[in-house]
Structures are given as C-alpha cells and as structure tokens.
Amino acid sequence: METLTTNIKHMLGALVAQGVTDFVVSPGSRSTPVALLLAELAANKQAVKVLVDVDERSAGFLALGIAKNTKKPVVLLATSGTATANYLPAVAEASISHIPLIILTTDRPTELQGIGAPQTINQNQLYGSHAKHFIQLDLQLQHPDNTEYIDYRMQQVVYLASKAPAGVIQVNLPLRKPLMPALQTRWPQILPQRFLTGKKMLTIADVTDLIKVLTQQKVLILVGPDEEQLNRDLLLKLSEKYQIPVIADALSSVRPGINVINGIDVLLEADVIPKDLIPDVTFRFGATPVSARVLPWLKQNDVKVYQIGENFVGKDHSRFAQISVDVDSNQLLAQLLAQPGTPTKTENAYLAGWLALSDNFKKLVTQNTVLTEPTIAQAMKNLPSKAQLFVANSMPIRDIDNYLWPENELKIIGNRGANGIDGTISSAVGIATNGQPTYLLIGDLTLFHDMNGLKLVDLLGINLTIIVINNNGGGIFSFLPQAQAKDYFNELFGTPLNLEIAKIAQLYAGEYKCISTLPSLTAELQKVPKGLKLIEIVSQRDKNVLVHQALVTKIKQELNN
Amino acid sequence: METLTTNIKHMLGALVAQGVTDFVVSPGSRSTPVALLLAELAANKQAVKVLVDVDERSAGFLALGIAKNTKKPVVLLATSGTATANYLPAVAEASISHIPLIILTTDRPTELQGIGAPQTINQNQLYGSHAKHFIQLDLQLQHPDNTEYIDYRMQQVVYLASKAPAGVIQVNLPLRKPLMPALQTRWPQILPQRFLTGKKMLTIADVTDLIKVLTQQKVLILVGPDEEQLNRDLLLKLSEKYQIPVIADALSSVRPGINVINGIDVLLEADVIPKDLIPDVTFRFGATPVSARVLPWLKQNDVKVYQIGENFVGKDHSRFAQISVDVDSNQLLAQLLAQPGTPTKTENAYLAGWLALSDNFKKLVTQNTVLTEPTIAQAMKNLPSKAQLFVANSMPIRDIDNYLWPENELKIIGNRGANGIDGTISSAVGIATNGQPTYLLIGDLTLFHDMNGLKLVDLLGINLTIIVINNNGGGIFSFLPQAQAKDYFNELFGTPLNLEIAKIAQLYAGEYKCISTLPSLTAELQKVPKGLKLIEIVSQRDKNVLVHQALVTKIKQELNN
C-alpha cells in the first residue's frame, strides 16, 4: 500500500510539475487509488482541477474541449475493461487535430491477462495508431529506480503529448488488490518542469541565464555520439571562450581539439578524477555516450545536467538530467557565442586540472609498444588524413573510446542506436560507397555475423580494409559476471568459432595479412585501401582481460593524487 | 458505378450465401452504396433482416445481443471516421465472449489517407488485438479476379468469424465518390455455403454423400505439401479401394506409391493430358502445391474441388474450391474407409489412362544420362533408405517435383510456407539434428544467402551433405519475362556471385567434390553423410533453360495422343 501510494503520488506529482492542471475522471473500481489521491491533490493544490464524467466516451470529448482551450495536455482516468475502449472516438479526433491528451487506463494486474479473468480486455496499445505512444507503468513495484522512472517518464509523457504534432499518449496501469491508498500522508517533492517543451529557439532570457551559468560555475561539456551534425567549430569555440573541458565520445566527431578529454570511462574506472574537477553543471550534447560510467558519475556527484538537442529530450536513461532543452544544438551554440560581454570566470585551475589529468593519462597509456587490444585502438591514429573508421560494437568501440587520440582528420562511425553486432560489414561498406578511404575495426564474432557482407566489397567495387581482432569468440563477456560460470561460459558466451581469417580472405578474393607487432600494424594502417583487405591480429580473451586490468591498475597508481 | 454496384452485391451476396442473416446499420454518407444495396437485398429476400441504430456504440452492443441469440455472425455497417471507433467497446466484449461479428467500416479512399483530408482517421487495424483479423477490400477495382476475390474472401470472413474461438473481423472498405449505386439491377448468383464451418467431424450423411461421389464420379486426389502428418497408408488405401489417381506433390510425403502420379506441372506445361482424364471431382489435401499449373487447370476445366483439412479452409488462392471442409484429414480418411459396401465404380479406363500417362512420362524423362538440373533431381532416388532430403526453393524444388521418383523411403522437406530462399542451410541443419542421414539440394544463390549456417554443421556436430547446383546466380529468373530485359537482367536478376564452392568448403572445414557426370553423382549420393560435404555441380543458366524447353518439347511430341 505504501509503495502504491508513493508511486501514484510521484506519477501525479510529475504530471503537475511538468505543467498539467486538468484531469477528467470516470470513476470505477480499478482506478480507485489514482482517483482518491488525485482528489487529495486537488484539495490541497488550487491549480489542479478535477472534473468527473461517468460516461467515458463523453469524458474523452470533454477533455478534448478543455485541451482545445488550454493547449496543454489534459489527463483522463478510466477503470479497466471496455470503459477504456470508449475513449477511442475522442482519441481519433485528438490525434488528427493535434490536441494533447494523456490517458491513464487502469488495468487488471498482469497475472490475470489473457487467461479468462473477468473484466480484463487487452489494453496493450488499445488506441493503435491513434495514440502517439503507449507506455505501461508498474505502480506496485517497490524499487527506488522504479519510482524515479515514474517521475522521469511522466514528465516525458507530458512533453511528448505536447511536442508537435501534439497528440495522445496512453499510460496503462495494471493494479492488483488491495487498491486502497494511504490518504493524508506526505506528498513527495518533484523536480519542476524538466523538459523545455517544444521550444525550437530559446528566448533571450533563457540564453542570458545559460551565459550566467557558463561564466560563474564549473562547467563540463559532455558530447555523446553525434547524430545531428553538431558543429564542432562552434562547440570548441564555446569551450575556449568559457574555458570549459570537453569530454568527447569517440563517436562525437569532436576529437581531437583543444580542451578535449579522452578516456573518461577508464579514468572513472581507475577512480583518478580529483574532487575539485567535479563540475557544478554539465551541458550534455549528442546521444548516449559509449562510456557506461560517465552518467552515473554525474548523478552520484549531483551535477546539474542540461541535456541539449531536439533528438535527445527525454532520452536520459540515468533519469537525472534536470533540464532537457528541445532546441537545435547548433543554433543554441551560435546564440551563446553571439552573446556579447567577456567571461568573468576565474576557475582556470579547474580547466588546467582536467588538461593535466588528460595529458598524464595520455602519456601513461601511450608508452606501451606491445600489440594489445588497447594499443591496436591507439594505432588507428596512423590512418591517413580524411580516412573513415567504422568501429564495431562490443570491445572495439570501448577501446577506441578510451585509447584513441586521432592525429589526422578522422571520421569515426559506429552503429550505436541499438549497439548490435549484426550487419556491421554491410554498414561499413555503405559508408565506403562515398569513396573516402575506409577502414573497419572489428572482432571475429562480429565479422562472422555479417560475413556475407564481404561479398558486397567485390560486387560494388568498394575499397575496404578490415582490421580483425581475432580473439576467437565473444571477448566482452570475459569482463562480465557470467565469466565466473566456468562450466557453461565457453559454450554460451565465449562461443569460439575457430574462424580462419585467411580462408575468409581467400573465399572473398581479398588480400590477407597477419600482424603481430605494433610497427607492422602502423605500416599497414598508413596504406590507402584498395579492394578488400583483411588484417588479422590474433588476441586472447583471457589475456585481454589481464591487459585491461593492468592498465587500470597502472592508471590508478600513477595518476592518483 | 457499375463496378461498385457489382462488387457490393457480391460482397453482400457472399455474406448471405455463407449464412449471414442479420445486419445492423448506422447510417452515414460514406456507407451509402452499401446501405442502399443492403436495403434492396432485404426487400427482396425475406431471410435478410436489417436494423438501423444511429449511435454506433449502441449499434455494436445491439449486434452483440442478436449474435448471442443466433450464434451466427452479425454484420455491422458504419460510415467513415470516428463513427467506426465507437464499436470498440462492443468489439472488446465480443472478442472475449467469442461472439462472431463482422464489421464493415467504410472509409475515405486511399488517396486521401494520412494527408490531412477531413473525416479521415486511420481505420487500418482499428480494433487492434480485439479483432481476429483485419482485411481491406477495394470495391471500386474493376478486375474479374477482384470480384471473385470478394466472393471468396467474404465467405471466408464468415467462416473465420465463426470458427472457434469465434470473434470479430473488421472489413475496411475505402470508397471514392460518386457513391450512388445502381438500384434495381440484377443480383449475381453466389456459390452456396462454401465453407463447412467449424465441423471437426463430418456427419454420417456427409460421409455418405462423399462415398457417393467416390463411387460414381471420376475422382482425382491432389496432395500438396504435407503439414498435418497426413496418414499416407490411409490415403493410398482409399485410392486403391476407389481406384483414384493421386497427384502427389514432392513435399506430400505420399511418393512413391501405387496410383501415384508425378510431374503434373510439366505434363500440364507440355499439354499432354487427354480430355478423358480430366476428373469430375478433386479431393485436395495439404498446402498449396509446388506446381503453379495444377489449380488453374482444375478451374479451367470446372472440376468440383473439395478442399480437406482444418489448416486449409479458405486457403485456396485459385478462389475455386467449392467446398472447404474444416475436418481432421486423417479422421475423414478413416471414416471414408470404414464405410461398408463395395465401390461400384467402373471407370477403370480413367485410372488406367492416368497410370499409362505417368508410366510413359517416367520412361521418357529417365532415359537421359547427361548431367542436367532435371537429371540431378532424378538422381536423388539413389539416396540411402530413410534419408532426409531438404530441397531449397526456386529451381530445385520445381525439378524435384517434376522429376524425382524416389525408390527408397525418402523424407523430402522444404520451406514452402513463404517459399523464401533465406535460412535454408540453417533449416536443413535443424532437420539433421535428429541424426538421420541428411542431404540438402540447393542453388548457389540460396547457399550464399545463409552461408553462415554452414558454421553450425561443425559447431553442432552435424552430418550434412550439400549438393550445390552452381549456375552462378538466380537461375529461375531466366525462365521469367524479365529475362527479355537484356540490358539490366544480369545485374538485377542474374546476380552472378562467382562463388568458389571449394573455398567455402575450405573455410568451413568441409569435404569438397566437384561432379560432372551422372554416375559419379549417383556414387556420391549413396554415401552416408559424415561431417560437412559440399558437392558442386556446375550448371549454366542459359543452357538450363534450353534443357527444360527441350524436355517439354520431347514430352509434347512423344506423349501427345
């Protein structure tokens, strides 16, 4: 009961925090706890208005009318079963006329679905294409992440319903008995309006506020994988003007550059970032970073995060970004740079600290002349200028993110939407069709997954050099907890394929080279691709884990202050 | 207007023919032609009852009430837009309580969908999981196939709505103006109840009728690919008892057997089946035959077709089967055989004619000792007893269907649901996991498509011999009209891959053999698979077309009476 009450309060609180004021309720049994707590909220908060309409079909059209006035999402609440189906006519109308509605459909609990329970219809995606999104929340799951998720998700729902083209979102809420909430208990504090809704251009006042932040606080810029053609020059100019360190993801297209820091993931793993380098504020650009550690670190240290960019609003799986700005990133950068006045910031020590750390880190990890998976990643700096490097998922992208400092202009590309290992060769061939010198860094398992893609190199007359790190199987799993399950590990995760890369090269009429030293790899990488070439570097999964561990230990020892 | 009128009459006529009597109409503009013609039908046909209810939500529940009485599908008719959405509550109720409803949702024409036209909502799959099926008909398309399709499909819809678990079917009907139908014109004749609805077991009377057919008429049994584990013995016993020729698909698991005829497709292509061998009645078992010619031939000759088997009701894309019996095929065979009394049929000349044709055909096409794609198919008779032969789609399955007379017990398997060329090797490996000697007959393009599947042979410790007909590309396209487009043909359809099969064998550590004579192929096929073996037979696409054409010419010359 306590969990249910807490979660419903978060759900309703988040709706109101993000700007919702109007609710239309069609009473019923299953919706009891939501209805009661909503009544309590309305009794205590003047801005919240609740209307009751017993016929759900009518209620849907009533909510539509209110939203036509306010241009803000109106929330509907119904009990389970055919009651929820009655909204469809109003949903269809709202969808086409771009009226934001949020429909809370309470439902029978999941354990009663589809097995003949009374009053239980399939409410999953009930409004089909007429709702913009369908989400389902578990209000009875007791887990701190869940409550935080409800907060974040419901604010996101308000944003999504309002974002052009505005429309309808169904939030399905399975609930099991007992349904009575605890009344007259404390309501939680919810972050105020987290999403700057639908603003394509910030106001002068907004920009002035941001400038204040840039000049008066310790700021960090974090750039994830680039999918919006972020203007690198503008970003680096901003960094220079306000002396801001830039943590740049391997796929950010921002490396190399003044103030650009590499390897955040391994620096965090080694725990060598001093307290005084922790920023007050972070401006986050781009998609989810390759580093899995950087967002939790910001959260732990309670750094205020502004997430910038129209593609990324509500896409912070750390559920921590306090403000998401729906704005064209390049336009915002230009606005910030256009602002007159000189920065008055004085924390040069802060930037200097970051740069010193970065420098020492680079010196330390680039000493090694032995061929290992990390030094393979480093060696990619030898690729010719204007080369394109497609990096496969799993280990290669992680090593590139931590250990590659490009020296020439280098475009780094990967498939980091869903991080799959499928179709990698075909994607790299797609990249290579533009005629630029193209390289692919890939493990043997990922290579095997799309081996047919090699045929395209010949059929389409492509030039592609593939660097295959052959550790005979799924190398990344050796870093994960399942590596402990020795009896089953190799069959289920290691999956050694015993591929003979030379024979693959033969089959696809490609050149083949086996490399075992760093200088010979360097020499190979300087060559411009011609037809298909497979460069095999044999690695060992167990040894690779040790190599990575030793590196972390070394960083810990040398860079700890 | 004439087309619209004709098609609506067929749609309504088919509903009534299959047993619908009750209609509930909520009037509106878009549904005008259907409503008017329905009124005309009801005026002329006492059994047809039409009720009007202006509120669609209410109409839905009214229809539900009627269907609860009659246990037969009730048809609802609505105009376009949110009107249709009002049915959802009743649809949800009907779906769960298994009440058959057929919902005709008239719609704005396709050219107005999704581009801002008024009163146009997305009616596609409007009731989501609450409708069993969604179909869309074009009532304004003037094409004889379309009208026939409407007939067949609407009878099928009645069947599907009634079949357990009974439920709701949405039939969406986009209509463009002008919407006025022609009234007081002639109504078409529609086949009476085509689908024997939901009968798991035939009555004695039904069986007696069928026995009458078996004894008094020229009957043919046509067996398509087996997916219901048809009892071969029962089927052949029935054929023997009533002296019925059996046209058995390569995938029917009925070959070889007394009275079993091979190669219907090429016999029809050569046009050598005499008029007196055309049956009066055909009993069709199994899925859609590999032969594309056999169903049109039955239709052209107006042969009465009974389609048997619970998987296949409504699955006659020739739209010709007059009766589909929803019955377990083996149960029906047992019932027919259990029926006492001796057959009185005297058309032994009919069966003898078929067997003579079959015999002459076999003699003719098995004379050839040159290695060609057809003789490769024939050579599969040399596989060891209890072998399993997986046959790839495209040309291999066609040649096997026409030219293979197995001599040992041979299980022939293919993927003939969607006839794809993808995943063939992996499927064959799946078949081979049962440990029986397994062979795969496949073309080079299909082999390439799933080449990664070869890795499984080693990883799973499978024994598999693959016979690769390497004609360097998509051989089947050379038989199709696009072969005339010489300028683009090879790039778009021929798609030569220049695969080196020997290198593939090397890569996957398989044995490799190149075969160029029939005796050496025969010798190879007698060997039991051990590990992976690739047997390559080089063929030429152009020459293969000529080989097939020459065979047809020879059959035409020698077997024409």
Side-chain angles (χ1 to χ4, degrees):
Chain A
M1 189 176 91
E2 208 184 312
T3 302
L4 177 64
T5 302
T6 302
N7 284 336
I8 292 177
K9 285 183 171 179
H10 274 269
M11 176 179 77
L12 296 174
L15 288 168
V16 171
Q18 186 63 28
V20 167
T21 51
D22 294 278
F23 294 79
V24 177
V25 175
S26 300
S29 163
R30 193 60 45 176
S31 57
T32 297
V34 185
L36 282 173
L37 288 169
L38 179 59
E40 184 177 291
L41 181 63
N44 293 317
K45 205 159 188 159
Q46 220 194 336
V48 175
K49 282 164 278 178
V50 179
L51 299 177
V52 172
D53 183 344
V54 292
D55 178 343
E56 287 83 4
R57 179 171 63 175
S58 165
F61 283 103
L62 172 64
L64 182 85
I66 297 169
K68 277 180 187 244
N69 274 346
T70 63
K71 313 287 179 211
K72 286 193 314 183
V74 174
V75 175
L76 282 153
L77 173 65
T79 190
S80 67
T82 51
T84 60
N86 281 272
Y87 289 141
L88 184 57
V91 168
E93 174 61 23
S95 163
I96 299 177
S97 52
H98 311 120
I99 302 298
L101 295 179
I102 295 167
I103 302 192
L104 307 180
T105 53
T106 56
D107 198 355
R108 309 269 292 177
T110 47
E111 64 271 20
L112 294 179
Q113 300 289 339
I115 56 169
Q119 223 175 327
T120 310
I121 76 168
N122 181 358
Q123 297 180 192
N124 183 58
Q125 308 212 23
L126 186 64
Y127 310 115
S129 65
H130 303 278
K132 284 173 75 173
H133 295 280
F134 167 83
I135 71 166
Q136 182 161 300
L137 297 178
D138 185 347
L139 295 174
Q140 285 164 321
L141 169 64
Q142 188 171 11
H143 191 293
D145 277 4
N146 186 44
T147 305
E148 198 179 271
Y149 177 72
I150 291 169
D151 258 13
Y152 188 84
R153 193 75 154 130
M154 290 310 289
Q155 295 207 2
Q156 185 203 43
V157 158
V158 179
Y159 163 75
L160 289 173
S162 314
K163 185 180 167 67
V168 182
I169 301 194
Q170 181 193 356
V171 181
N172 197 47
L173 304 168
L175 293 170
R176 66 181 62 83
K177 291 180 180 174
L179 297 169
M180 264 304 289
L183 294 174
Q184 294 186 306
T185 59
R186 213 172 56 82
W187 281 70
Q189 282 297 314
I190 314 269
L191 264 186
Q193 190 146 355
R194 197 196 286 252
F195 301 105
L196 297 187
T197 309
K199 282 194 181 174
K200 284 290 169 195
M201 184 93 159
L202 294 182
T203 61
I204 302 276
D206 290 332
V207 173
T208 313
D209 282 352
L210 289 178
I211 293 288
K212 238 180 255 167
V213 170
L214 290 173
T215 51
Q216 295 171 6
Q217 304 196 46
K218 282 196 243 176
V219 175
L220 184 75
I221 290 176
L222 171 65
V223 194
D226 181 29
E227 41 168 271
E228 46 175 355
Q229 297 193 277
L230 194 65
N231 189 317
R232 179 176 176 276
D233 291 342
L234 291 182
L235 189 95
L236 294 181
K237 260 186 206 151
L238 190 79
S239 145
E240 227 179 329
K241 181 166 177 184
Y242 293 98
Q243 304 189 46
I244 306 169
V246 177
I247 293 184
D249 193 274
L251 300 172
S252 66
S253 40
V254 172
R255 295 185 193 178
I258 295 175
N259 301 349
V260 169
I261 318 287
N262 263 37
I264 186 66
D265 202 68
V266 73
L267 292 174
L268 287 169
E269 188 181 2
D271 191 19
V272 292
I273 300 176
K275 284 268 168 286
D276 56 347
L277 296 192
I278 294 169
D280 305 316
V281 171
T282 292
F283 284 72
R284 198 185 141 187
F285 294 87
T288 302
V290 169
S291 166
R293 290 185 177 88
V294 64
L295 296 178
W297 170 66
L298 294 174
K299 190 170 183 171
Q300 274 156 31
N301 289 290
D302 211 22
V303 178
K304 182 163 191 176
V305 176
Y306 289 79
Q307 189 169 23
I308 313 292
E310 52 194 346
N311 285 355
F312 309 114
V313 183
K315 299 295 168 61
D316 173 35
H317 71 290
S318 76
R319 304 175 299 261
F320 179 63
Q322 288 88 343
I323 298 180
S324 274
V325 191
D326 184 348
V327 70
D328 179 286
S329 301
N330 290 329
Q331 204 163 33
L332 176 65
L333 288 171
Q335 277 182 291
L336 291 174
L337 283 168
Q339 196 69 359
T342 356
T344 57
K345 195 153 67 166
T346 52
E347 310 86 352
N348 290 345
Y350 163 73
L351 175 62
W354 270 107
L355 294 179
L357 177 66
S358 170
D359 226 44
N360 294 333
F361 168 59
K362 182 174 176 184
K363 270 184 207 135
L364 192 69
V365 300
T366 51
Q367 289 162 1
N368 198 342
T369 55
V370 178
L371 194 67
T372 64
E373 296 194 21
T375 59
I376 294 169
Q378 278 167 26
M380 297 300 139
K381 72 177 181 190
N382 297 298
L383 293 175
S385 190
K386 305 214 169 163
Q388 312 182 105
L389 175 63
F390 200 100
V391 184
N393 282 323
S394 202
M395 285 310 290
I397 188 62
R398 287 173 171 75
D399 283 333
I400 288 286
D401 192 48
N402 277 323
Y403 301 115
L404 171 60
W405 284 264
E407 295 186 350
N408 299 316
E409 199 179 320
L410 176 65
K411 190 168 149 194
I412 309 179
I413 312 115
N415 284 343
R416 289 301 286 184
N419 303 358
I421 67 162
D422 33 5
T424 307
I425 295 171
S426 300
S427 285
V429 169
I431 292 288
T433 55
N434 68 1
Q436 297 289 98
T438 306
Y439 302 79
L440 166 61
L441 179 64
I442 193 168
D444 59 300
L445 189 58
T446 307
L447 176 86
F448 174 71
H449 227 279
D450 188 28
M451 215 153 66
N452 273 6
L454 292 173
K455 194 77 202 173
L456 292 172
V457 176
D458 176 39
L459 291 175
L460 304 181
I462 295 294
N463 301 311
L464 178 67
T465 294
I466 302 181
I467 303 100
V468 186
I469 301 174
N470 186 358
N471 53 25
N472 198 17
I476 200 168
F477 297 111
S478 301
F479 290 84
L480 301 180
Q482 52 263 58
Q484 309 308 319
K486 301 269 179 238
D487 289 352
Y488 308 107
F489 179 77
N490 222 30
E491 188 190 353
L492 285 177
F493 302 100
T495 56
L497 292 171
N498 302 312
L499 286 186
E500 297 183 68
I501 309 296
K503 288 186 179 167
I504 297 172
Q506 258 181 4
L507 174 61
Y508 290 101
E511 209 183 320
Y512 169 78
K513 202 128 197 181
C514 188
I515 290 284
S516 55
T517 69
L518 210 43
S520 52
L521 177 62
T522 299
E524 276 301 325
L525 293 176
Q526 285 163 348
K527 295 179 189 163
V528 170
K530 184 94 193 63
L532 173 66
K533 186 193 276 187
L534 288 163
I535 300 175
E536 177 178 15
I537 307 171
V538 175
S539 178
Q540 271 145 17
R541 281 183 267 137
D542 293 351
K543 215 179 111 189
N544 184 41
V545 173
L546 298 179
V547 164
H548 280 84
Q549 284 170 347
L551 256 174
V552 172
T553 307
K554 194 166 143 192
I555 295 165
K556 211 187 265 284
Q557 284 166 351
E558 305 277 328
L559 300 189
N560 235 342
N561 1 27
Chain B
M1 188 175 93
E2 208 183 314
T3 301
L4 177 64
T5 302
T6 302
N7 284 336
I8 292 177
K9 285 182 172 180
H10 275 269
M11 176 179 77
L12 296 174
L15 288 168
V16 172
Q18 186 62 27
V20 167
T21 52
D22 294 279
F23 293 79
V24 177
V25 176
S26 300
S29 165
R30 192 60 45 175
S31 58
T32 297
V34 184
L36 283 172
L37 289 169
L38 180 60
E40 186 178 291
L41 180 63
N44 294 316
K45 206 158 189 160
Q46 221 193 335
V48 175
K49 283 163 278 179
V50 179
L51 299 178
V52 173
D53 183 344
V54 292
D55 179 343
E56 287 85 2
R57 180 171 63 173
S58 165
F61 284 103
L62 172 65
L64 182 85
I66 298 169
K68 276 181 186 245
N69 274 346
T70 63
K71 312 289 178 209
K72 286 192 313 182
V74 174
V75 176
L76 282 153
L77 174 66
T79 189
S80 66
T82 51
T84 60
N86 281 273
Y87 289 141
L88 184 57
V91 168
E93 174 61 22
S95 163
I96 299 178
S97 51
H98 311 120
I99 302 298
L101 294 179
I102 295 167
I103 303 193
L104 307 179
T105 53
T106 56
D107 198 356
R108 309 270 293 177
T110 48
E111 64 270 21
L112 294 179
Q113 301 288 339
I115 55 169
Q119 224 175 328
T120 310
I121 75 168
N122 182 358
Q123 297 180 192
N124 183 58
Q125 308 211 24
L126 186 62
Y127 310 115
S129 66
H130 303 279
K132 284 173 75 173
H133 295 280
F134 167 85
I135 71 165
Q136 183 161 301
L137 297 177
D138 185 348
L139 296 173
Q140 286 165 321
L141 169 64
Q142 189 171 12
H143 190 294
D145 277 4
N146 186 43
T147 304
E148 199 179 88
Y149 177 71
I150 291 168
D151 258 13
Y152 188 84
R153 192 74 154 130
M154 290 311 288
Q155 295 207 2
Q156 185 203 41
V157 158
V158 179
Y159 163 76
L160 290 172
S162 315
K163 184 179 167 66
V168 182
I169 301 195
Q170 181 193 356
V171 182
N172 198 48
L173 304 168
L175 294 169
R176 66 180 63 83
K177 292 181 179 171
L179 296 169
M180 265 304 290
L183 294 174
Q184 294 185 308
T185 59
R186 211 172 57 83
W187 281 69
Q189 282 296 313
I190 315 270
L191 265 187
Q193 190 147 351
R194 196 195 287 250
F195 301 105
L196 296 188
T197 309
K199 282 194 185 176
K200 285 288 170 196
M201 184 92 158
L202 294 183
T203 62
I204 303 275
D206 290 332
V207 175
T208 313
D209 282 354
L210 289 178
I211 293 286
K212 237 180 256 168
V213 171
L214 290 172
T215 52
Q216 295 171 6
Q217 305 197 46
K218 281 198 242 175
V219 175
L220 184 75
I221 290 177
L222 170 65
V223 194
D226 180 29
E227 41 168 272
E228 47 175 354
Q229 297 192 277
L230 194 64
N231 189 317
R232 181 178 175 274
D233 292 342
L234 291 183
L235 189 94
L236 294 181
K237 260 186 207 152
L238 190 78
S239 146
E240 227 179 329
K241 179 165 179 185
Y242 294 99
Q243 304 189 46
I244 306 169
V246 177
I247 292 183
D249 193 274
L251 300 172
S252 65
S253 41
V254 173
R255 295 187 194 177
I258 293 175
N259 299 349
V260 169
I261 317 287
N262 261 36
I264 186 67
D265 201 70
V266 72
L267 292 174
L268 287 168
E269 187 181 4
D271 192 19
V272 292
I273 300 176
K275 284 267 169 285
D276 56 346
L277 296 192
I278 294 170
D280 305 317
V281 171
T282 292
F283 284 73
R284 199 185 140 187
F285 294 86
T288 303
V290 169
S291 166
R293 290 185 177 88
V294 64
L295 295 178
W297 170 67
L298 294 174
K299 189 170 184 170
Q300 273 157 31
N301 290 291
D302 211 22
V303 178
K304 182 163 190 175
V305 176
Y306 289 79
Q307 189 169 23
I308 313 292
E310 50 194 347
N311 285 354
F312 309 113
V313 182
K315 299 294 168 59
D316 173 35
H317 72 291
S318 76
R319 303 176 298 261
F320 179 63
Q322 289 87 343
I323 297 180
S324 274
V325 190
D326 184 349
V327 71
D328 178 285
S329 302
N330 291 329
Q331 205 163 33
L332 176 65
L333 288 171
Q335 277 182 289
L336 291 175
L337 283 167
Q339 196 71 358
T342 354
T344 56
K345 195 153 68 167
T346 52
E347 309 88 351
N348 289 345
Y350 162 73
L351 175 62
W354 269 106
L355 294 179
L357 177 66
S358 170
D359 225 44
N360 294 333
F361 167 59
K362 182 175 177 184
K363 269 184 210 136
L364 193 68
V365 299
T366 52
Q367 289 163 0
N368 198 343
T369 55
V370 178
L371 193 68
T372 63
E373 296 193 20
T375 59
I376 294 168
Q378 278 166 24
M380 298 301 140
K381 72 178 179 188
N382 298 297
L383 293 174
S385 190
K386 306 214 168 162
Q388 313 181 106
L389 174 63
F390 200 100
V391 185
N393 283 322
S394 202
M395 286 309 290
I397 188 63
R398 286 172 171 76
D399 284 333
I400 288 287
D401 192 48
N402 276 324
Y403 301 116
L404 171 59
W405 284 264
E407 295 186 351
N408 298 317
E409 199 180 319
L410 177 64
K411 190 167 149 195
I412 309 178
I413 311 116
N415 284 343
R416 290 302 284 184
N419 304 359
I421 67 162
D422 31 6
T424 308
I425 295 171
S426 301
S427 286
V429 169
I431 292 287
T433 54
N434 68 2
Q436 297 290 100
T438 307
Y439 302 79
L440 166 61
L441 179 65
I442 193 168
D444 59 300
L445 189 58
T446 306
L447 177 85
F448 174 71
H449 228 279
D450 188 28
M451 215 153 65
N452 273 7
L454 292 174
K455 193 77 201 173
L456 292 173
V457 177
D458 176 38
L459 290 176
L460 304 182
I462 295 294
N463 301 310
L464 179 67
T465 294
I466 303 181
I467 302 100
V468 186
I469 301 174
N470 186 358
N471 54 25
N472 198 16
I476 200 168
F477 296 111
S478 302
F479 290 83
L480 302 179
Q482 52 263 58
Q484 310 307 318
K486 301 270 179 237
D487 289 352
Y488 308 108
F489 179 77
N490 223 29
E491 189 191 352
L492 285 178
F493 301 100
T495 56
L497 291 171
N498 302 311
L499 285 187
E500 296 183 68
I501 309 295
K503 288 186 180 167
I504 297 173
Q506 257 181 4
L507 174 60
Y508 291 101
E511 210 183 319
Y512 169 78
K513 202 126 198 183
C514 187
I515 290 284
S516 55
T517 70
L518 210 43
S520 52
L521 177 60
T522 300
E524 277 301 326
L525 293 176
Q526 284 162 347
K527 295 178 188 162
V528 169
K530 184 93 193 67
L532 173 65
K533 186 193 273 186
L534 288 163
I535 299 175
E536 178 178 16
I537 307 170
V538 175
S539 177
Q540 271 145 18
R541 282 184 266 135
D542 293 352
K543 216 180 110 192
N544 185 41
V545 173
L546 298 178
V547 163
H548 280 84
Q549 284 170 347
L551 256 173
V552 172
T553 308
K554 195 166 141 194
I555 296 165
K556 210 188 265 287
Q557 284 167 353
E558 305 278 328
L559 300 188
N560 234 343
N561 3 27

